[in-house]
Amino acid sequence: SYVLSQPPSVSVAPGKTARITCGGNNIGSKNVQWYQQKPGQAPILVIYYDADRPSGIPERFSGSNSGNTATLTISRVEAGDEADYYCQVWDSTSDHQVFGGGTKLTVL
Amino acid sequence: EVQLVESGGGLLQPGGSLRLSCVGSGFTFSRYSINWVRQAPGKGLEWVSYISSSGSVVYYADSVKGRFTISRDNTENSVYLQVNSLRADDTAVYFCATSDGASGEIDKWGQGTLVTVAS
């Protein structure tokens, strides 16, 4: 089955740029989604199709995907961005949605 | 306003069964695929199952295949997840969420219902 790997944690100072990676075999050939989840809340879609933002998501959130790594970039990080972030792809081989293990973003 | 509301969770013994429900409102429910995604306490997201807008296509995670059954009733704006032969590792919050087909992004989520399996 397809596996997505994320770092367990990323820390960043307010105003700086956070980059959260998602590794997978030839992930560049897949569409990657990113979700933000705050404690006690349901996930929210922040990036879809590698780099598109749903309405209401700030431009500070961006995504890229190439080779074996997809990246979620959060510019000018704010305290309110502190959350868990999950990447996700569709694995057509197994007809399964697949989530990464999640990355806890800490704003210092 | 698009809304998904899950219900049916509770405390069950190992081997037990229950049916989770997901009711949608604020959108044309019959046009949307629905997924169930679960999250064990303190753990990450795990996709569980998918049903197409018509109900003709369903998929299951390997961990639940043969024990869980997804279905829908578009006249009731509802999707159901019948869960049987429950195990301790099925303990989780179960979210329902819409998606654009099986491979599309999972874009609207409910708040979840907690299933606890313990003796």
Side-chain angles (χ1 to χ4, degrees):
Chain A
S1 60
Y2 195 78
V3 176
L4 295 174
S5 298
Q6 297 182 236
S9 62
V10 168
S11 298
V12 62
K16 300 300 186 183
T17 297
R19 294 180 179 85
I20 298 173
T21 59
C22 176
N25 184 33
N26 197 25
I27 195 174
S29 67
K30 301 180 181 298
N31 292 318
V32 177
Q33 281 65 242
W34 290 92
Y35 302 87
Q36 176 195 71
Q37 186 182 33
K38 296 181 179 180
Q41 297 184 16
I44 296 172
L45 178 69
V46 295
I47 293 289
Y48 65 103
Y49 292 172
D50 296 343
D52 289 344
R53 278 177 292 103
S55 60
I57 300 301
E59 292 183 7
R60 300 185 297 103
F61 288 80
S62 62
S64 62
N65 184 20
S66 179
N68 292 320
T69 304
T71 303
L72 171 69
T73 301
I74 309 172
S75 304
R76 303 181 299 284
V77 167
E78 303 172 357
D81 298 330
E82 190 163 280
D84 294 325
Y85 291 85
Y86 296 90
C87 58
Q88 171 257 315
V89 301
W90 170 255
D91 178 20
S92 58
T93 300
S94 61
D95 288 333
H96 286 16
Q97 294 280 14
V98 179
F99 286 95
T103 297
K104 181 176 181 59
L105 177 67
T106 298
V107 180
L108 300 171
Chain B
E1 177 192 3
V2 173
Q3 195 169 14
L4 292 166
V5 178
E6 304 90 339
S7 62
L11 175 60
L12 280 295
Q13 291 189 337
S17 299
L18 79 166
R19 188 176 81 158
L20 305 181
S21 299
C22 168
V23 178
S25 61
F27 63 105
T28 305
F29 188 83
S30 60
R31 293 183 182 175
Y32 285 83
S33 304
I34 299 290
N35 296 264
W36 286 96
V37 177
R38 69 184 179 182
Q39 186 169 37
K43 302 297 184 183
L45 301 173
E46 179 189 15
W47 174 80
V48 172
S49 185
Y50 161 89
I51 188 165
S52 63
S53 57
S54 68
S56 61
V57 179
V58 297
Y59 298 123
Y60 299 95
D62 295 345
S63 58
V64 307
K65 197 168 187 178
R67 300 187 299 122
F68 290 13
T69 303
I70 192 170
S71 63
R72 69 187 296 159
D73 182 349
N74 285 338
T75 66
E76 297 290 334
N77 283 2
S78 295
V79 166
Y80 307 102
L81 187 68
Q82 178 68 38
V83 299
N84 298 329
S85 304
L86 281 164
R87 312 185 304 220
D89 62 0
D90 293 319
T91 295
V93 174
Y94 285 72
F95 298 98
C96 68
T98 61
S99 68
D100 183 11
S103 61
E105 68 275 17
I106 301 174
D107 56 352
K108 297 293 189 293
W109 298 66
Q111 285 304 305
T113 186
L114 175 62
V115 174
T116 303
V117 183
S119 54

